[in-house]
Amino acid sequence: MATVDLKDVRKTYPGNVEAVKGVSIAIADGKLCVLVGPSGCGKSTLLRMIAGLETITSGTVSIDGKVVNAIGPTDRDIAMVFQNYALYPHMKVYDNMAYGLRNRGTPKDEIDRRVRATAKTLELEHLLERRPRELSGGQRQRVAMGRAIVRNPKVFLFDEPLSNLDAKLRGQMRVEIKNLQRSLGVTSVYVTHDQLEAMTLADLLVVMNAGTVEQAGNPLDIYEKPASTFVASFIGAPPMNLLPAGQGGAAPASGAREGAATIGFRPEDAEIANAGDAPADALALDAEVEAVEPVGAESFLYCAAAGSRIVVRVSGRAAAQPGDRLRVVARAEKLHWFDASGRRVD
Ligand SMILES: Nc1ncnc2c1ncn2[C@@H]1O[C@H](COP(=O)(O)OP(=O)(O)O)[C@@H](O)[C@H]1O
Ligand SMILES: [Mg+2]
């Protein structure tokens, strides 16, 4: 059991590359924190500083209230799971899982008890005598998890652990990891560039951009109230529609927000309406359908409106076709406003 606290953590690599520019995050005991952001935004660097695999340029990392900046990775009581699994190819599954415990001089019978218990939890019992190359991708990933769990660490760190798996397996493993993390109650930090994975896994979601935290909080709160245009377009798929607001741009007839440069609404928050059917404080756009994307339970209409490209989600099969002209309406309570620097205006 442990808390993880980052205070104004910075990392400058040689050559003056500022990878992490002052990040503060407090993770409560037993919670799963997800760091999400585009490639190169500093997620792995931050994770490696928590792990002790990378020096901290300034700021502090604390585990369980104790600053660990000067403590080596093996003494931090953390376990890390990587994208490429990092299994020893010549060792059987059993030995891969036992390796860390043997290194610490854990008694043989205790190693055996812990490896078998963990293998049971992860349904790996029948695979203990195999070598990594005799396993599927999902099984390998499970062994990598097992190797972390068997050590009974205070903190789990995951760096894009599912990126090498196909979409279906990724979905299954996501659910498994979530259930496992919940039942073990081990404080975890999970890095991904996949916003869906981030949304579904996180107790605490941290959206990163260029070495800084754009927004941190409950995933649905972030979805409903993105703090910036960056977050608005990164979280949610298809992303939020963002249009220039105000003079010459898109705006409702009344109730436009002072100082707003951008107006946004989510694809599912727009309705197809009849002409003249919208309240004055709603955003009403004349749109021309450019493409229709049916995905089964819903369809996405890609439209040209107010000089921009917008996406509207409709449930089921869309009646519209390319070339159709529609009126798209987003109600006042569904509108998001951002200033010229992209920050939310409330
Ligand atoms: N060892 C290193 N030396 C110099 N620059 C690095 C090193 N590792 C990462 N970087 C740079 O730091 C930035 C953040 O990288 P990284 O933490 O790997 O991002 P992410 O995991 O979000 O993709 C990138 O610009 C990357 O090129
Ligand atoms: Mg990375």
Side-chain angles (χ1 to χ4, degrees), residues 286-315:
D286 291 316
E288 180 174 342
V289 179
E290 292 182 328
V292 180
E293 210 176 66
V295 288
E298 59 201 14
S299 304
F300 296 102
L301 308 182
Y302 292 83
C303 309
S308 302
R309 161 64 80 78
I310 63 166
V311 189
V312 177
R313 197 194 82 176
V314 296
S315 64

PDB file of all heavy atoms in Angstrom, residues 286-315:
ATOM      1  N   ASP A 286     -25.706  25.714 -40.697  1.00  0.00           N
ATOM      2  CA  ASP A 286     -26.103  25.106 -41.959  1.00  0.00           C
ATOM      3  C   ASP A 286     -24.945  24.245 -42.424  1.00  0.00           C
ATOM      4  O   ASP A 286     -23.829  24.731 -42.540  1.00  0.00           O
ATOM      5  CB  ASP A 286     -26.427  26.180 -42.994  1.00  0.00           C
ATOM      6  CG  ASP A 286     -27.696  26.923 -42.615  1.00  0.00           C
ATOM      7  OD1 ASP A 286     -28.669  26.247 -42.221  1.00  0.00           O
ATOM      8  OD2 ASP A 286     -27.689  28.173 -42.665  1.00  0.00           O
ATOM      9  N   ALA A 287     -25.234  22.973 -42.637  1.00  0.00           N
ATOM     10  CA  ALA A 287     -24.141  22.046 -42.938  1.00  0.00           C
ATOM     11  C   ALA A 287     -24.428  21.277 -44.209  1.00  0.00           C
ATOM     12  O   ALA A 287     -25.578  21.024 -44.554  1.00  0.00           O
ATOM     13  CB  ALA A 287     -23.977  21.069 -41.769  1.00  0.00           C
ATOM     14  N   GLU A 288     -23.349  20.919 -44.904  1.00  0.00           N
ATOM     15  CA  GLU A 288     -23.500  20.045 -46.061  1.00  0.00           C
ATOM     16  C   GLU A 288     -22.759  18.746 -45.792  1.00  0.00           C
ATOM     17  O   GLU A 288     -21.577  18.744 -45.439  1.00  0.00           O
ATOM     18  CB  GLU A 288     -22.931  20.712 -47.327  1.00  0.00           C
ATOM     19  CG  GLU A 288     -23.110  19.786 -48.526  1.00  0.00           C
ATOM     20  CD  GLU A 288     -22.698  20.428 -49.853  1.00  0.00           C
ATOM     21  OE1 GLU A 288     -22.594  21.661 -49.936  1.00  0.00           O
ATOM     22  OE2 GLU A 288     -22.468  19.637 -50.796  1.00  0.00           O
ATOM     23  N   VAL A 289     -23.473  17.625 -45.947  1.00  0.00           N
ATOM     24  CA  VAL A 289     -22.878  16.318 -45.676  1.00  0.00           C
ATOM     25  C   VAL A 289     -21.827  16.007 -46.741  1.00  0.00           C
ATOM     26  O   VAL A 289     -22.094  16.108 -47.936  1.00  0.00           O
ATOM     27  CB  VAL A 289     -23.963  15.215 -45.672  1.00  0.00           C
ATOM     28  CG1 VAL A 289     -23.339  13.845 -45.417  1.00  0.00           C
ATOM     29  CG2 VAL A 289     -25.027  15.519 -44.631  1.00  0.00           C
ATOM     30  N   GLU A 290     -20.626  15.635 -46.285  1.00  0.00           N
ATOM     31  CA  GLU A 290     -19.550  15.274 -47.226  1.00  0.00           C
ATOM     32  C   GLU A 290     -19.308  13.776 -47.258  1.00  0.00           C
ATOM     33  O   GLU A 290     -18.933  13.213 -48.274  1.00  0.00           O
ATOM     34  CB  GLU A 290     -18.258  16.013 -46.845  1.00  0.00           C
ATOM     35  CG  GLU A 290     -18.363  17.511 -47.080  1.00  0.00           C
ATOM     36  CD  GLU A 290     -17.080  18.257 -46.764  1.00  0.00           C
ATOM     37  OE1 GLU A 290     -16.358  17.802 -45.848  1.00  0.00           O
ATOM     38  OE2 GLU A 290     -16.817  19.270 -47.417  1.00  0.00           O
ATOM     39  N   ALA A 291     -19.502  13.149 -46.110  1.00  0.00           N
ATOM     40  CA  ALA A 291     -19.295  11.698 -46.041  1.00  0.00           C
ATOM     41  C   ALA A 291     -20.118  11.123 -44.905  1.00  0.00           C
ATOM     42  O   ALA A 291     -20.370  11.802 -43.909  1.00  0.00           O
ATOM     43  CB  ALA A 291     -17.821  11.387 -45.824  1.00  0.00           C
ATOM     44  N   VAL A 292     -20.549   9.886 -45.083  1.00  0.00           N
ATOM     45  CA  VAL A 292     -21.308   9.189 -44.036  1.00  0.00           C
ATOM     46  C   VAL A 292     -20.538   7.931 -43.672  1.00  0.00           C
ATOM     47  O   VAL A 292     -20.143   7.154 -44.552  1.00  0.00           O
ATOM     48  CB  VAL A 292     -22.727   8.813 -44.528  1.00  0.00           C
ATOM     49  CG1 VAL A 292     -23.499   8.081 -43.437  1.00  0.00           C
ATOM     50  CG2 VAL A 292     -23.478  10.065 -44.976  1.00  0.00           C
ATOM     51  N   GLU A 293     -20.318   7.750 -42.380  1.00  0.00           N
ATOM     52  CA  GLU A 293     -19.565   6.590 -41.918  1.00  0.00           C
ATOM     53  C   GLU A 293     -20.456   5.750 -41.007  1.00  0.00           C
ATOM     54  O   GLU A 293     -20.633   6.084 -39.840  1.00  0.00           O
ATOM     55  CB  GLU A 293     -18.342   7.101 -41.138  1.00  0.00           C
ATOM     56  CG  GLU A 293     -17.136   6.214 -41.191  1.00  0.00           C
ATOM     57  CD  GLU A 293     -15.965   6.875 -40.473  1.00  0.00           C
ATOM     58  OE1 GLU A 293     -16.032   7.047 -39.250  1.00  0.00           O
ATOM     59  OE2 GLU A 293     -15.001   7.245 -41.157  1.00  0.00           O
ATOM     60  N   PRO A 294     -21.052   4.675 -41.520  1.00  0.00           N
ATOM     61  CA  PRO A 294     -21.887   3.839 -40.649  1.00  0.00           C
ATOM     62  C   PRO A 294     -21.009   2.832 -39.912  1.00  0.00           C
ATOM     63  O   PRO A 294     -20.185   2.173 -40.525  1.00  0.00           O
ATOM     64  CB  PRO A 294     -22.806   3.112 -41.642  1.00  0.00           C
ATOM     65  CG  PRO A 294     -22.064   3.110 -42.937  1.00  0.00           C
ATOM     66  CD  PRO A 294     -20.984   4.146 -42.893  1.00  0.00           C
ATOM     67  N   VAL A 295     -21.117   2.751 -38.594  1.00  0.00           N
ATOM     68  CA  VAL A 295     -20.304   1.782 -37.862  1.00  0.00           C
ATOM     69  C   VAL A 295     -21.171   0.786 -37.102  1.00  0.00           C
ATOM     70  O   VAL A 295     -20.700   0.100 -36.212  1.00  0.00           O
ATOM     71  CB  VAL A 295     -19.286   2.465 -36.908  1.00  0.00           C
ATOM     72  CG1 VAL A 295     -18.171   3.117 -37.694  1.00  0.00           C
ATOM     73  CG2 VAL A 295     -19.958   3.477 -36.000  1.00  0.00           C
ATOM     74  N   GLY A 296     -22.459   0.698 -37.467  1.00  0.00           N
ATOM     75  CA  GLY A 296     -23.337  -0.284 -36.850  1.00  0.00           C
ATOM     76  C   GLY A 296     -24.364   0.376 -35.963  1.00  0.00           C
ATOM     77  O   GLY A 296     -25.412   0.805 -36.426  1.00  0.00           O
ATOM     78  N   ALA A 297     -24.038   0.472 -34.668  1.00  0.00           N
ATOM     79  CA  ALA A 297     -24.991   1.054 -33.721  1.00  0.00           C
ATOM     80  C   ALA A 297     -25.163   2.555 -33.927  1.00  0.00           C
ATOM     81  O   ALA A 297     -26.121   3.155 -33.462  1.00  0.00           O
ATOM     82  CB  ALA A 297     -24.531   0.787 -32.289  1.00  0.00           C
ATOM     83  N   GLU A 298     -24.209   3.158 -34.622  1.00  0.00           N
ATOM     84  CA  GLU A 298     -24.267   4.599 -34.846  1.00  0.00           C
ATOM     85  C   GLU A 298     -23.630   4.931 -36.188  1.00  0.00           C
ATOM     86  O   GLU A 298     -22.988   4.081 -36.802  1.00  0.00           O
ATOM     87  CB  GLU A 298     -23.522   5.335 -33.723  1.00  0.00           C
ATOM     88  CG  GLU A 298     -22.074   4.903 -33.633  1.00  0.00           C
ATOM     89  CD  GLU A 298     -21.420   5.192 -32.284  1.00  0.00           C
ATOM     90  OE1 GLU A 298     -22.132   5.486 -31.324  1.00  0.00           O
ATOM     91  OE2 GLU A 298     -20.191   5.101 -32.226  1.00  0.00           O
ATOM     92  N   SER A 299     -23.864   6.176 -36.620  1.00  0.00           N
ATOM     93  CA  SER A 299     -23.233   6.641 -37.862  1.00  0.00           C
ATOM     94  C   SER A 299     -22.641   8.009 -37.617  1.00  0.00           C
ATOM     95  O   SER A 299     -23.140   8.766 -36.789  1.00  0.00           O
ATOM     96  CB  SER A 299     -24.261   6.752 -38.985  1.00  0.00           C
ATOM     97  OG  SER A 299     -24.913   5.522 -39.178  1.00  0.00           O
ATOM     98  N   PHE A 300     -21.568   8.299 -38.328  1.00  0.00           N
ATOM     99  CA  PHE A 300     -20.965   9.617 -38.222  1.00  0.00           C
ATOM    100  C   PHE A 300     -21.162  10.358 -39.540  1.00  0.00           C
ATOM    101  O   PHE A 300     -20.875   9.830 -40.606  1.00  0.00           O
ATOM    102  CB  PHE A 300     -19.479   9.505 -37.896  1.00  0.00           C
ATOM    103  CG  PHE A 300     -19.236   8.871 -36.552  1.00  0.00           C
ATOM    104  CD1 PHE A 300     -18.836   7.545 -36.452  1.00  0.00           C
ATOM    105  CD2 PHE A 300     -19.464   9.599 -35.389  1.00  0.00           C
ATOM    106  CE1 PHE A 300     -18.655   6.958 -35.204  1.00  0.00           C
ATOM    107  CE2 PHE A 300     -19.279   9.024 -34.140  1.00  0.00           C
ATOM    108  CZ  PHE A 300     -18.868   7.696 -34.049  1.00  0.00           C
ATOM    109  N   LEU A 301     -21.699  11.570 -39.425  1.00  0.00           N
ATOM    110  CA  LEU A 301     -21.864  12.427 -40.600  1.00  0.00           C
ATOM    111  C   LEU A 301     -20.741  13.456 -40.590  1.00  0.00           C
ATOM    112  O   LEU A 301     -20.610  14.222 -39.639  1.00  0.00           O
ATOM    113  CB  LEU A 301     -23.198  13.171 -40.545  1.00  0.00           C
ATOM    114  CG  LEU A 301     -24.469  12.348 -40.323  1.00  0.00           C
ATOM    115  CD1 LEU A 301     -25.693  13.277 -40.344  1.00  0.00           C
ATOM    116  CD2 LEU A 301     -24.600  11.271 -41.394  1.00  0.00           C
ATOM    117  N   TYR A 302     -19.902  13.412 -41.614  1.00  0.00           N
ATOM    118  CA  TYR A 302     -18.841  14.414 -41.756  1.00  0.00           C
ATOM    119  C   TYR A 302     -19.386  15.519 -42.636  1.00  0.00           C
ATOM    120  O   TYR A 302     -19.818  15.273 -43.768  1.00  0.00           O
ATOM    121  CB  TYR A 302     -17.595  13.778 -42.368  1.00  0.00           C
ATOM    122  CG  TYR A 302     -16.956  12.792 -41.413  1.00  0.00           C
ATOM    123  CD1 TYR A 302     -17.421  11.480 -41.308  1.00  0.00           C
ATOM    124  CD2 TYR A 302     -15.908  13.181 -40.594  1.00  0.00           C
ATOM    125  CE1 TYR A 302     -16.857  10.585 -40.418  1.00  0.00           C
ATOM    126  CE2 TYR A 302     -15.337  12.293 -39.690  1.00  0.00           C
ATOM    127  CZ  TYR A 302     -15.814  11.000 -39.603  1.00  0.00           C
ATOM    128  OH  TYR A 302     -15.260  10.125 -38.716  1.00  0.00           O
ATOM    129  N   CYS A 303     -19.419  16.737 -42.105  1.00  0.00           N
ATOM    130  CA  CYS A 303     -20.082  17.833 -42.802  1.00  0.00           C
ATOM    131  C   CYS A 303     -19.178  19.054 -42.904  1.00  0.00           C
ATOM    132  O   CYS A 303     -18.297  19.263 -42.062  1.00  0.00           O
ATOM    133  CB  CYS A 303     -21.330  18.279 -42.036  1.00  0.00           C
ATOM    134  SG  CYS A 303     -22.458  16.951 -41.606  1.00  0.00           S
ATOM    135  N   ALA A 304     -19.439  19.867 -43.907  1.00  0.00           N
ATOM    136  CA  ALA A 304     -18.830  21.191 -43.987  1.00  0.00           C
ATOM    137  C   ALA A 304     -19.818  22.176 -43.384  1.00  0.00           C
ATOM    138  O   ALA A 304     -21.001  22.165 -43.740  1.00  0.00           O
ATOM    139  CB  ALA A 304     -18.544  21.549 -45.440  1.00  0.00           C
ATOM    140  N   ALA A 305     -19.340  22.993 -42.422  1.00  0.00           N
ATOM    141  CA  ALA A 305     -20.211  23.974 -41.780  1.00  0.00           C
ATOM    142  C   ALA A 305     -19.368  25.139 -41.287  1.00  0.00           C
ATOM    143  O   ALA A 305     -18.299  24.925 -40.719  1.00  0.00           O
ATOM    144  CB  ALA A 305     -20.959  23.349 -40.605  1.00  0.00           C
ATOM    145  N   ALA A 306     -19.863  26.359 -41.495  1.00  0.00           N
ATOM    146  CA  ALA A 306     -19.184  27.577 -41.031  1.00  0.00           C
ATOM    147  C   ALA A 306     -17.703  27.586 -41.401  1.00  0.00           C
ATOM    148  O   ALA A 306     -16.849  27.969 -40.611  1.00  0.00           O
ATOM    149  CB  ALA A 306     -19.359  27.723 -39.506  1.00  0.00           C
ATOM    150  N   GLY A 307     -17.401  27.108 -42.588  1.00  0.00           N
ATOM    151  CA  GLY A 307     -16.015  27.122 -43.068  1.00  0.00           C
ATOM    152  C   GLY A 307     -15.122  26.060 -42.448  1.00  0.00           C
ATOM    153  O   GLY A 307     -13.915  26.068 -42.646  1.00  0.00           O
ATOM    154  N   SER A 308     -15.702  25.148 -41.678  1.00  0.00           N
ATOM    155  CA  SER A 308     -14.913  24.092 -41.048  1.00  0.00           C
ATOM    156  C   SER A 308     -15.513  22.720 -41.353  1.00  0.00           C
ATOM    157  O   SER A 308     -16.588  22.617 -41.944  1.00  0.00           O
ATOM    158  CB  SER A 308     -14.882  24.266 -39.527  1.00  0.00           C
ATOM    159  OG  SER A 308     -14.349  25.515 -39.181  1.00  0.00           O
ATOM    160  N   ARG A 309     -14.804  21.684 -40.923  1.00  0.00           N
ATOM    161  CA  ARG A 309     -15.297  20.315 -41.038  1.00  0.00           C
ATOM    162  C   ARG A 309     -15.814  19.900 -39.655  1.00  0.00           C
ATOM    163  O   ARG A 309     -15.104  20.052 -38.667  1.00  0.00           O
ATOM    164  CB  ARG A 309     -14.114  19.443 -41.488  1.00  0.00           C
ATOM    165  CG  ARG A 309     -14.204  17.943 -41.266  1.00  0.00           C
ATOM    166  CD  ARG A 309     -15.289  17.275 -42.017  1.00  0.00           C
ATOM    167  NE  ARG A 309     -15.071  16.965 -43.421  1.00  0.00           N
ATOM    168  CZ  ARG A 309     -14.359  15.940 -43.878  1.00  0.00           C
ATOM    169  NH1 ARG A 309     -13.674  15.187 -43.092  1.00  0.00           N
ATOM    170  NH2 ARG A 309     -14.333  15.676 -45.165  1.00  0.00           N
ATOM    171  N   ILE A 310     -17.063  19.460 -39.562  1.00  0.00           N
ATOM    172  CA  ILE A 310     -17.597  18.995 -38.284  1.00  0.00           C
ATOM    173  C   ILE A 310     -18.071  17.549 -38.411  1.00  0.00           C
ATOM    174  O   ILE A 310     -18.293  17.056 -39.525  1.00  0.00           O
ATOM    175  CB  ILE A 310     -18.757  19.881 -37.758  1.00  0.00           C
ATOM    176  CG1 ILE A 310     -19.955  19.831 -38.716  1.00  0.00           C
ATOM    177  CG2 ILE A 310     -18.297  21.317 -37.508  1.00  0.00           C
ATOM    178  CD1 ILE A 310     -21.241  20.396 -38.120  1.00  0.00           C
ATOM    179  N   VAL A 311     -18.204  16.890 -37.277  1.00  0.00           N
ATOM    180  CA  VAL A 311     -18.698  15.515 -37.239  1.00  0.00           C
ATOM    181  C   VAL A 311     -19.927  15.471 -36.350  1.00  0.00           C
ATOM    182  O   VAL A 311     -19.932  16.043 -35.256  1.00  0.00           O
ATOM    183  CB  VAL A 311     -17.652  14.541 -36.659  1.00  0.00           C
ATOM    184  CG1 VAL A 311     -18.125  13.108 -36.841  1.00  0.00           C
ATOM    185  CG2 VAL A 311     -16.297  14.746 -37.283  1.00  0.00           C
ATOM    186  N   VAL A 312     -20.969  14.808 -36.831  1.00  0.00           N
ATOM    187  CA  VAL A 312     -22.196  14.659 -36.063  1.00  0.00           C
ATOM    188  C   VAL A 312     -22.472  13.175 -35.904  1.00  0.00           C
ATOM    189  O   VAL A 312     -22.404  12.423 -36.878  1.00  0.00           O
ATOM    190  CB  VAL A 312     -23.390  15.334 -36.784  1.00  0.00           C
ATOM    191  CG1 VAL A 312     -24.688  15.115 -36.016  1.00  0.00           C
ATOM    192  CG2 VAL A 312     -23.118  16.822 -36.982  1.00  0.00           C
ATOM    193  N   ARG A 313     -22.733  12.745 -34.674  1.00  0.00           N
ATOM    194  CA  ARG A 313     -23.045  11.334 -34.449  1.00  0.00           C
ATOM    195  C   ARG A 313     -24.554  11.152 -34.391  1.00  0.00           C
ATOM    196  O   ARG A 313     -25.242  11.864 -33.666  1.00  0.00           O
ATOM    197  CB  ARG A 313     -22.438  10.864 -33.129  1.00  0.00           C
ATOM    198  CG  ARG A 313     -22.379   9.355 -33.041  1.00  0.00           C
ATOM    199  CD  ARG A 313     -22.098   8.888 -31.647  1.00  0.00           C
ATOM    200  NE  ARG A 313     -23.336   8.880 -30.879  1.00  0.00           N
ATOM    201  CZ  ARG A 313     -23.427   8.435 -29.638  1.00  0.00           C
ATOM    202  NH1 ARG A 313     -22.359   8.035 -28.999  1.00  0.00           N
ATOM    203  NH2 ARG A 313     -24.585   8.440 -29.011  1.00  0.00           N
ATOM    204  N   VAL A 314     -25.064  10.222 -35.175  1.00  0.00           N
ATOM    205  CA  VAL A 314     -26.485   9.896 -35.087  1.00  0.00           C
ATOM    206  C   VAL A 314     -26.582   8.406 -34.761  1.00  0.00           C
ATOM    207  O   VAL A 314     -25.703   7.628 -35.124  1.00  0.00           O
ATOM    208  CB  VAL A 314     -27.252  10.211 -36.403  1.00  0.00           C
ATOM    209  CG1 VAL A 314     -27.236  11.701 -36.687  1.00  0.00           C
ATOM    210  CG2 VAL A 314     -26.666   9.453 -37.587  1.00  0.00           C
ATOM    211  N   SER A 315     -27.631   8.004 -34.028  1.00  0.00           N
ATOM    212  CA  SER A 315     -27.703   6.599 -33.670  1.00  0.00           C
ATOM    213  C   SER A 315     -28.261   5.787 -34.832  1.00  0.00           C
ATOM    214  O   SER A 315     -29.014   6.295 -35.666  1.00  0.00           O
ATOM    215  CB  SER A 315     -28.542   6.404 -32.409  1.00  0.00           C
ATOM    216  OG  SER A 315     -29.848   6.796 -32.663  1.00  0.00           O
TER     217      SER A 315
END
